[in-house]
Amino acid sequence: MTEIETRPEEVGQILLKVQDDIRQLRDRINHGDGGSINIKDLESALAKTEEGLQMKTEQVINHYNNKVQTLPTALSTRFDPGMVAMEQTWDLKTKAKSEMKRVQDQQYLAREKLRQPQPPGSLLPKRQQVQVSGPSPGQQTKHMLTLRAVLNPMHGQNRQSLNDNFGIQLPLIPQRVENKNIPRPIIGTTVEPLAVLPRANRVDPQIAPPPISEDDARKGILSLLERGLIPPAAELTLDPSPVRHKTAPLHDPHVKTKAPQPEMSHSLAGVKLDITPTKKAEIDDNVTRIPIVPPHPLSAHSTETRTPSAKTRATSASMPQIKTPATLKTFDLPLQPMPTTLPSPSPDQSDGHSPINNAAIRSASSKRGYRFLFSPPPTTPASGDIKHLTHRFAIQNGKIRDTSAEFLSFKQHYCLTWGSIVSMIKHLEKMTQEFSVPIAFINGDKLADLSLEFELEKAPSLDDLLAVIVNREDVEVIMNRPGRRYKGPNGKNVAATRIQSSWRMFRDRSEYLEYRKKKWAAGVIAISWIMNIKMSQVKQKLKQSREDQLEAFRRRAKKFAMSWDRIKQSKRVIIHVSSLGLSQNIRDTIHEFGIRQNTQMARLCDIRDPNVDVIFISPVPLSEETLQYYSKLLGLKAAIDSGNVEDQCVMSERYRIITPDAIKSFPTHRMCLSTLLKYSPRTIKRIKNLIKGREAYMVSGVPHSDDLAVADELDVPILSPEPEVAHLYSTKSGCKRIFASANVDLPPSEYDVYSLGQLHECLAQLVTENLMVKRWLFKLDDEFDGRGIAYCDVTEHLQCYPWALKESRRYGEKWNKKWAQEAAYIKIHAEIADVLHANAKPVQTSIYGTWDTFLEAFLSQGGVIEACPPSESITTLTVDMMIEPNGKYNIVSCGDQIHAETPFSCWGVSVPQSSVEPDVLNVACKKIAEACKTRGILGYFSVDFVTFIDPKTMDQRLWALDLSLHYSDSLAMFQLMSYVSNGVLDPVKHVLNVPMNKQEKRQRRRRLAGQEEEQEPNTSRFGVMSTRLLHTNLAVVHYSVFFQMCRAHGIGYDIKEKQGTVFTLIDSFNRERLGMLTIGDNLQGALATFARNMSVIHQEISAPNMQGETNFKSAIEDVEGILGTTIENADEPEEETNEQS
């Protein structure tokens, strides 16, 4: 066979010749001409030819594949003498065949040398410069582009190319700009609108839907649903269904846990050693099949140091780059082999880029006879975590073993992030040195993660450093030993520093605590002083404001007194403010304080005077039902005057009921009505508008300092005394002063008692002087309505009482002398303390539970010691009086009290009084009014008297008990009685007369001769009234049902006869309290009607198992007792008359 030369040019000719010979030989064999040819020789020749051809072909292919081509650097030019050209030109004409072959062999050997493995750190040698003849391909391309620009006159570079290359300057021809007509944009939609559901179908869904066209159907089901052509609730079935059902395969558990099939990998991690001895030729052949690892660009064995240029980058880019585990990403990780497949190389053999060095492989194969076998490694989990082998190394005695194989492997693995890891290692070394830890094993992977976390942040804490230690428990035990941190190399200095810092900390902290204590004290003092100054300023301003308001009150009162006669006869507006201006501690103990202030709704009856309009300030919100009731009640005025029920009128224009808007702002604060009105600017403004341009004055309840503020805002006078004066003389001790100055009969008493010793001395003296008095009363100064009262039956528990009686009889009339009473006083005083402690009892145990509680309050605010009348039959009466601004005074009403809950609290009144002779009562009232007038008291006030039969003289005695300088509930109910009966009280005879109706006067005829004289109709009326009716079962009955029930039982008012029952509604929402007034032509009838009404109401609203809380029973008992007494008193004059006759 023809020998194949190594020249690349002749490869094609050789291949063609061999192919032609083979084809001719095959044709001869096929046509039968090869009978003389030996088939074995022919097959042997063909086999040798194919083997030689295959060898030459592999050499040529390897020659072209292993040819290295480089690119010039960015700074070099085409004709740089130091540049190596990419192309090589073969000049076959000028050189001989042998010379060309020699040059080719030299170049081929040089290229083969470059392909051999280089030592670590070596650089590629500089290539020899080759002179290239002719223009380069880049210059040829540039000339071609220039030629095209010259030949094309419309080219943009035509003028410039002719001028630069040929020096021809062409004239500049301006181009004509054609004005092209720009088409105007078409406004509107470019698509036809889609059909939607007609409006008739949207309004009435029962109408059949319109048909769907093919164009609409092509839009899809979603479009038809959105446009409404298919109802939203329609059930759609897709044919064929987009969801196809398929049986899910069930795998065997053994198959599920089977390891996946290994995949081929070209990485060296898949190399394993086969210890089977093989021939040296096979070993060399296998070695040549190992992929060559490109050396590092910077090599210590290179002859010249070069920076990576564009040529080297292009060459390396065309080669497969082998990544180290430190540079791999999760998605780039190769499949890892089994740990026992390939033994790990020593750190000394690793160059930082390849796990196995080529030279080491050759030496190992030559010495031990190993051969390499490539088998695909098993796959790894999907997470791609390559840290299947933990990098562990040790820190011994505060120093790391930097020469150990584990540490070097760890360093090689994390070479790219080694800077931050070194910092963490320093922290670990410092920690182990400080605590003198003998040895600590470090988890390198955790340390690398920790270094990434604290790379740019603060230094890691002690717990963070302990987290990377494998034997953490042992290290913690060593570190937690007391004094361990001072066992290090610098332990003494650390201990000394610790002692000094602890002492300085203790000293500085002690000084700081002392400083903070002083600073806190200074702050408290400063704040207290500032608050004291501000509080003083506020108090000064309030005091000045109070003084200004008081001065304005006095100025308006003086002007009011001067013009009272004119105001009384002219049109005027009365502003009723039923306020209880008591002290705050008393208001806090009153249950339902707002309703307690609303018991005087009958003040509306002041519109009886045609010149008076009323503005009533309600302390609680009123329901519409309550307002309608009062509108109908007050509208009976015309019917009452005429006696005809049909003559009713509308009186709503004559009165206004206003609720302060501050009630909603202070729902839980028990403020008096004046204070609520003060903090209600809208209500104040409304009242101003109502009284604008009209004469007006205000009538308050219990006077309060806020009454002055409200009057100052409204600029109206107040028909009441100054609040301080009223508070002074409304106390139990203050009224005793007025009674003493008025020279009226008083019970034996002592007032202004403020100490326990004074209490014992005064009580002993009173008992000694009045041995006939069995019960003594103790009254608090600031309480009201019989709440602050205690009693003690002293004489029953005194051991020396019989002896004292004998002594009083022995001395006779001289017993009034002090010297006669001295011995008895000493003995009584010695026993009085024990008697009080053992037998004194408060009346209101719900407020003052024990005598000690009452005694504490008594000594704190002062009080009065008073004798209880020494009689079994005692009657208490109340007289309401008024001192006008001009100084005139008169009795407005008078009545006998009714007691229900306690004998010391007024529950109701029977009007007019019938217990005392009018003259005696009028004289006492006149004296008291004069005494009040001299002290600047004006307006409405009430005086409480007690009458009884003196057991010694059997004469009727009248004692003045109490003085209340405010508008009372009994006075308000008397105004209602006067309104519904047109009655007028005779203050001299204490008789309430009712005028006759006009129809009754006309019906009276002249008396004929012989006929008896017709009796005059009874025009006197008696009334029984109360505002304290309480029954919790009333809450379940609405007012409309309640009045129907009363009408069914005959409870009502007769306008013609001026007799019957009238109610006052004071609780609109709970409906547990109400007021009732009964009017009769005699006292017995009024009392009986009152008792019958309460009994009927109690029976109707109470079930056997639902009694509720009520005071009806006790009131009925007291009324029946009074009724029995009045019947006896009425029978006595008749008996006396019969005896005289």
Side-chain angles (χ1 to χ4, degrees):
M1 297 296 293
T2 306
E3 183 180 1
I4 301 176
E5 297 180 357
T6 58
R7 293 178 57 186
E9 306 79 23
E10 300 177 356
V11 173
Q13 297 178 4
I14 296 172
L15 293 177
L16 290 175
K17 184 177 180 180
V18 172
Q19 186 178 3
D20 188 30
D21 294 342
I22 294 174
R23 185 177 65 254
Q24 291 176 4
L25 183 59
R26 186 174 298 162
D27 292 340
R28 290 173 58 187
I29 294 173
N30 292 335
H31 289 85
D33 297 336
S36 60
I37 301 176
N38 190 359
I39 301 301
K40 294 182 179 180
D41 296 338
L42 182 60
E43 290 178 357
S44 176
L46 290 175
K48 291 181 180 180
T49 304
E50 289 178 358
E51 183 179 359
L53 184 62
Q54 183 178 1
M55 184 179 298
K56 295 298 180 179
T57 304
E58 288 181 359
Q59 292 179 1
V60 173
I61 292 174
N62 289 334
H63 169 71
Y64 280 102
N65 289 341
N66 295 331
K67 182 179 180 181
V68 179
Q69 297 181 356
T70 58
L71 294 176
T73 60
L75 301 178
S76 64
T77 60
R78 175 67 179 172
F79 302 100
D80 191 357
M83 182 192 68
V84 179
M86 293 179 60
E87 302 86 358
Q88 293 181 358
T89 305
W90 300 83
D91 192 359
L92 303 178
K93 297 180 179 180
T94 57
K95 295 184 179 182
K97 182 177 180 180
S98 59
E99 183 180 357
M100 292 174 59
K101 183 177 181 180
R102 185 174 58 255
V103 174
Q104 180 183 358
D105 295 339
Q106 292 177 359
Q107 294 177 356
Y108 178 76
L109 294 176
R111 286 194 299 269
E112 288 295 329
K113 184 179 181 180
L114 288 175
R115 284 196 299 270
Q116 296 300 323
Q118 300 294 330
S122 63
L123 296 177
L124 292 174
K126 186 176 180 181
R127 301 182 62 180
Q128 299 295 327
Q129 299 180 1
V130 179
Q131 183 66 31
V132 180
S133 62
S136 66
Q139 291 179 347
Q140 294 176 4
T141 303
K142 184 176 180 181
H143 292 320
M144 183 61 66
L145 294 176
T146 304
L147 183 59
R148 289 180 182 178
V150 171
L151 296 177
N152 186 9
M154 303 303 295
H155 197 276
Q157 300 294 331
N158 181 267
R159 297 179 71 258
Q160 187 67 25
S161 299
L162 291 174
N163 188 15
D164 295 341
N165 298 325
F166 305 101
I168 300 174
Q169 183 69 31
L170 296 178
L172 182 61
I173 302 174
Q175 298 180 357
R176 294 182 181 181
V177 180
E178 296 181 0
N179 296 328
K180 297 181 180 180
N181 294 329
I182 302 175
R184 300 179 64 183
I186 301 175
I187 301 175
T189 60
T190 59
V191 296
E192 296 181 359
L194 301 177
V196 296
L197 189 66
R199 186 176 182 274
N201 294 80
R202 293 196 301 269
V203 175
D204 188 4
Q206 296 181 357
I207 301 176
I212 301 174
S213 62
E214 294 182 1
D215 295 337
D216 293 334
R218 293 191 188 97
K219 302 297 182 180
I221 296 177
L222 183 59
S223 176
L224 296 177
L225 288 173
E226 291 179 349
R227 288 183 284 159
L229 297 179
I230 296 179
E235 296 183 0
L236 303 178
T237 303
L238 301 178
D239 190 15
S241 176
V243 180
R244 298 183 180 179
H245 301 280
K246 184 179 179 181
T247 305
L250 298 179
H251 300 281
D252 190 15
H254 301 287
V255 178
K256 191 189 316 183
T257 58
K258 186 178 179 181
Q261 294 297 329
E263 298 180 1
M264 294 299 296
S265 175
H266 299 285
S267 174
L268 291 181
V271 176
K272 65 177 181 179
L273 296 176
D274 190 359
I275 313 179
T276 305
T278 55
K279 296 180 180 181
K280 185 176 184 300
E282 294 181 358
I283 293 175
D284 296 338
D285 185 33
N286 291 333
V287 169
T288 58
R289 297 178 183 270
I290 299 177
I292 301 174
V293 180
H296 196 275
L298 298 177
S299 178
H301 302 281
S302 61
T303 57
E304 183 179 357
T305 303
R306 295 183 297 169
T307 59
S309 61
K311 296 182 292 183
T312 59
R313 286 196 298 270
T315 305
S316 61
S318 62
M319 297 180 180
Q321 181 180 1
I322 298 176
K323 299 182 179 181
T324 60
T327 60
L328 289 176
K329 303 293 184 181
T330 303
F331 49 81
D332 292 334
L333 291 175
L335 300 178
Q336 300 297 322
M338 297 299 291
T340 59
T341 303
L342 178 65
S344 60
S346 62
D348 298 333
Q349 297 174 351
S350 177
D351 57 352
H353 294 276
S354 177
I356 302 177
N357 195 295
N358 294 333
I361 292 175
R362 291 192 181 93
S363 61
S365 62
S366 61
K367 292 180 182 180
R368 301 179 185 179
Y370 295 163
R371 63 185 179 90
F372 290 86
L373 295 179
F374 292 90
S375 63
T379 58
T380 57
S383 62
D385 188 9
I386 65 169
K387 298 177 182 179
H388 58 282
L389 294 176
T390 306
H391 298 90
R392 297 185 180 182
F393 55 91
I395 298 179
Q396 187 174 8
N397 296 326
K399 296 295 182 179
I400 196 166
R401 298 177 180 177
D402 53 356
T403 59
S404 63
E406 295 84 355
F407 180 77
L408 294 177
S409 175
F410 168 69
K411 182 178 180 181
Q412 176 65 28
H413 189 78
Y414 293 99
C415 61
L416 299 181
T417 59
W418 186 248
S420 57
I421 295 177
V422 170
S423 301
M424 293 299 107
I425 292 176
K426 295 298 182 183
H427 288 294
L428 288 171
E429 289 180 344
K430 182 179 179 182
M431 182 190 70
T432 54
Q433 288 178 0
E434 289 180 354
F435 291 93
S436 186
V437 179
I439 188 169
F441 297 98
I442 309 301
N443 189 330
D445 299 329
K446 292 184 178 181
L447 180 62
D449 296 339
L450 182 66
S451 65
L452 294 177
E453 181 179 356
F454 289 93
E455 183 176 2
L456 299 177
E457 298 180 1
K458 61 181 181 180
S461 62
L462 196 61
D463 293 335
D464 297 331
L465 295 177
L466 289 174
V468 303
I469 298 178
V470 178
N471 56 336
R472 177 174 180 174
E473 292 78 5
D474 301 335
V475 173
E476 284 184 343
V477 170
I478 296 174
M479 293 174 61
N480 292 332
R481 292 176 184 174
R484 188 66 183 182
R485 71 167 60 239
Y486 311 116
K487 296 293 185 179
N490 199 21
K492 293 184 178 180
N493 295 334
V494 174
T497 304
R498 180 66 177 178
I499 295 172
Q500 293 175 0
S501 61
S502 300
W503 165 248
R504 286 195 298 268
M505 180 193 69
F506 172 76
R507 183 191 62 189
D508 295 343
R509 179 166 178 78
S510 301
E511 294 178 356
Y512 171 71
L513 291 177
E514 185 68 22
Y515 164 75
R516 192 173 65 175
K517 184 178 180 180
K518 293 179 180 179
K519 184 179 180 180
W520 173 80
V524 171
I525 295 172
I527 293 175
S528 301
W529 174 250
I530 293 173
M531 294 300 295
N532 185 27
I533 294 298
K534 290 185 177 296
M535 188 65 70
S536 301
Q537 294 176 356
V538 171
K539 287 182 179 180
Q540 189 66 26
K541 291 180 181 179
L542 290 176
K543 183 179 180 181
Q544 185 64 34
S545 176
R546 299 289 187 190
E547 292 178 356
D548 295 343
Q549 292 171 2
L550 182 60
E551 187 64 28
F553 166 80
R554 293 172 180 172
R555 184 175 62 254
R556 284 190 296 267
K558 186 181 295 184
K559 183 178 179 181
F560 185 50
M562 295 174 60
S563 58
W564 172 249
D565 295 333
R566 177 183 59 81
I567 294 175
K568 188 168 60 173
Q569 301 298 328
S570 61
K571 294 278 187 179
R572 62 190 183 276
V573 179
I574 301 177
I575 305 172
H576 281 285
V577 184
S578 57
S579 174
L580 292 179
L582 304 170
S583 58
Q584 185 64 44
N585 57 345
I586 297 178
R587 295 200 302 266
D588 291 339
T589 58
I590 298 177
H591 181 61
E592 295 182 354
F593 181 69
I595 297 175
R596 181 66 180 84
Q597 292 184 111
N598 200 37
T599 55
Q600 299 181 8
M601 286 287 293
R603 289 194 187 194
L604 292 170
C605 296
D606 280 351
I607 61 174
R608 177 188 179 189
D609 189 345
N611 294 328
V612 175
D613 292 344
V614 174
I615 298 176
F616 182 79
I617 310 300
S618 174
V620 292
L622 300 179
S623 63
E624 189 65 25
E625 193 176 12
T626 305
L627 297 177
Q628 291 178 1
Y629 172 77
Y630 281 106
S631 178
K632 292 181 179 180
L633 177 63
L634 298 176
L636 297 175
K637 178 61 178 173
I640 293 171
D641 294 339
S642 63
N644 188 5
V645 182
E646 297 178 357
D647 296 341
Q648 297 185 11
C649 60
V650 179
M651 303 290 289
S652 58
E653 297 180 356
R654 298 276 308 280
Y655 71 93
R656 293 287 187 276
I657 300 177
I658 302 176
T659 304
D661 51 282
I663 292 178
K664 298 179 181 179
S665 302
F666 305 100
T668 59
H669 299 70
R670 298 192 177 184
M671 297 181 177
C672 65
L673 184 57
S674 299
T675 305
L676 292 174
L677 187 59
K678 174 185 176 182
Y679 296 119
S680 304
R682 295 182 181 177
T683 308
I684 293 291
K685 186 177 181 180
R686 182 183 178 187
I687 297 174
K688 283 183 179 180
N689 294 332
L690 291 174
I691 66 175
K692 190 174 183 180
R694 307 172 66 182
E695 295 288 346
Y697 60 91
M698 190 171 73
V699 179
S700 64
V702 178
H704 191 267
S705 58
D706 288 334
D707 294 343
L708 305 182
V710 174
D712 195 39
E713 288 289 335
L714 298 175
D715 195 17
V716 294
I718 305 177
L719 188 61
S720 68
E722 297 179 7
E724 295 296 333
V725 175
H727 178 72
L728 175 62
Y729 293 108
S730 292
T731 60
K732 301 299 184 289
S733 300
C735 67
K736 297 297 181 183
R737 296 189 186 96
I738 292 182
F739 295 156
S741 63
N743 197 17
V744 294
D745 291 340
L746 293 174
S749 60
E750 288 289 340
Y751 53 89
D752 290 334
V753 179
Y754 290 96
S755 63
L756 185 61
Q758 185 183 3
L759 173 64
H760 294 164
E761 292 175 1
C762 293
L763 181 58
Q765 185 64 38
L766 289 173
V767 171
T768 304
E769 293 177 357
N770 304 275
L771 293 175
M772 299 302 297
V773 177
K774 297 181 180 180
R775 175 171 292 181
W776 292 90
L777 305 178
F778 308 92
K779 299 181 179 180
L780 298 178
D781 271 344
D782 293 338
E783 282 290 354
F784 83 110
D785 196 23
R787 288 162 30 105
I789 297 177
Y791 65 92
C792 182
D793 297 330
V794 178
T795 57
E796 294 180 2
H797 303 88
L798 283 175
Q799 297 179 359
C800 63
Y801 180 68
W803 176 81
L805 284 178
K806 292 180 182 180
E807 288 293 315
S808 64
R809 296 191 189 101
R810 185 167 65 89
Y811 283 101
E813 296 180 356
K814 296 181 181 179
W815 183 251
N816 294 331
K817 305 295 182 180
K818 293 293 183 180
W819 55 268
Q821 303 173 357
E822 186 175 358
Y825 169 78
I826 293 174
K827 290 188 176 183
I828 293 174
H829 183 269
E831 298 180 16
I832 202 69
D834 296 335
V835 172
L836 287 178
H837 187 269
N839 302 286
K841 298 178 181 179
V843 175
Q844 291 282 354
T845 55
S846 60
I847 302 174
Y848 304 101
T850 60
W851 164 253
D852 295 334
T853 306
F854 180 86
L855 182 62
E856 182 181 358
F858 185 90
L859 298 179
S860 62
Q861 57 183 277
V864 173
I865 304 174
E866 185 177 280
C868 186
S871 176
E872 296 181 357
S873 178
I874 301 172
T875 302
T876 308
L877 58 150
T878 299
V879 179
D880 291 297
M881 301 184 66
M882 175 185 178
I883 301 178
E884 299 179 357
N886 55 6
K888 296 181 181 180
Y889 52 86
N890 59 326
I891 296 176
V892 181
S893 71
C894 58
D896 298 326
Q897 293 184 6
I898 300 174
H899 306 282
E901 299 173 353
T902 64
F904 305 102
S905 176
C906 178
W907 182 82
V909 177
S910 61
V911 178
Q913 68 85 21
S914 56
S915 302
V916 183
E917 291 295 329
D919 296 337
V920 177
L921 186 61
N922 289 341
V923 171
C925 291
K926 181 180 179 180
K927 292 180 180 179
I928 295 173
E930 288 290 344
C932 292
K933 180 182 175 181
T934 57
R935 286 166 174 79
I937 298 174
L938 74 156
Y940 297 96
F941 65 95
S942 60
V943 185
D944 293 340
F945 296 92
V946 62
T947 181
F948 62 98
I949 303 299
D950 192 351
K952 287 185 178 181
T953 61
M954 300 303 294
D955 294 333
Q956 186 177 10
R957 299 288 302 273
L958 181 67
W959 287 352
L961 294 181
D962 198 4
L963 178 67
S964 301
L965 301 179
H966 59 84
Y967 200 104
S968 64
D969 294 349
S970 60
L971 179 57
M973 294 299 290
F974 178 77
Q975 295 292 347
L976 176 61
M977 180 180 178
S978 301
Y979 187 85
V980 299
S981 64
N982 276 340
V984 178
L985 178 67
D986 186 357
V988 178
K989 298 181 181 181
H990 295 181
V991 177
L992 182 65
N993 295 318
V994 178
M996 295 177 58
N997 295 331
K998 296 180 181 179
Q999 295 180 358
E1000 293 180 356
K1001 292 180 180 179
R1002 293 175 183 176
Q1003 290 177 0
R1004 294 189 63 186
R1005 299 178 181 178
R1006 185 176 297 180
R1007 180 177 59 85
L1008 299 177
Q1011 292 182 354
E1012 294 182 358
E1013 185 177 359
E1014 186 178 356
Q1015 294 182 356
E1016 292 286 338
N1018 187 6
T1019 59
S1020 64
R1021 293 291 183 269
F1022 289 86
V1024 180
M1025 59 192 70
S1026 175
T1027 60
R1028 307 289 183 85
L1029 274 71
L1030 169 65
H1031 205 302
T1032 55
N1033 292 347
L1034 285 171
V1036 300
V1037 181
H1038 287 277
Y1039 284 141
S1040 58
V1041 179
F1042 174 77
F1043 289 126
Q1044 290 179 3
M1045 178 188 66
C1046 293
R1047 192 179 299 109
H1049 289 276
I1051 301 174
Y1053 185 74
D1054 189 352
I1055 295 177
K1056 184 177 180 180
E1057 297 294 335
K1058 306 293 190 298
Q1059 298 181 23
T1061 304
V1062 181
F1063 295 95
T1064 58
L1065 308 181
I1066 60 179
D1067 188 0
S1068 299
F1069 297 97
N1070 294 332
R1071 299 188 302 275
E1072 296 178 352
R1073 302 174 185 270
L1074 54 84
M1076 185 170 66
L1077 166 67
T1078 59
I1079 302 175
D1081 55 357
N1082 55 63
L1083 181 58
Q1084 292 84 357
L1087 288 171
T1089 303
F1090 197 90
R1092 175 183 173 276
N1093 292 345
M1094 286 193 298
S1095 178
V1096 169
I1097 294 172
H1098 178 69
Q1099 292 177 2
E1100 287 293 329
I1101 65 177
S1102 297
N1105 57 351
M1106 187 182 68
Q1107 294 296 328
E1109 181 184 356
T1110 181
N1111 54 15
F1112 279 27
K1113 293 182 179 180
S1114 57
I1116 291 173
E1117 293 176 359
D1118 193 69
V1119 170
E1120 289 177 351
I1122 296 173
L1123 185 59
T1125 304
T1126 55
I1127 293 174
E1128 293 177 1
N1129 294 337
D1131 292 340
E1132 289 180 0
E1134 293 181 0
E1135 294 177 359
E1136 293 178 358
T1137 303
N1138 295 331
E1139 290 177 358
Q1140 291 178 0
S1141 60

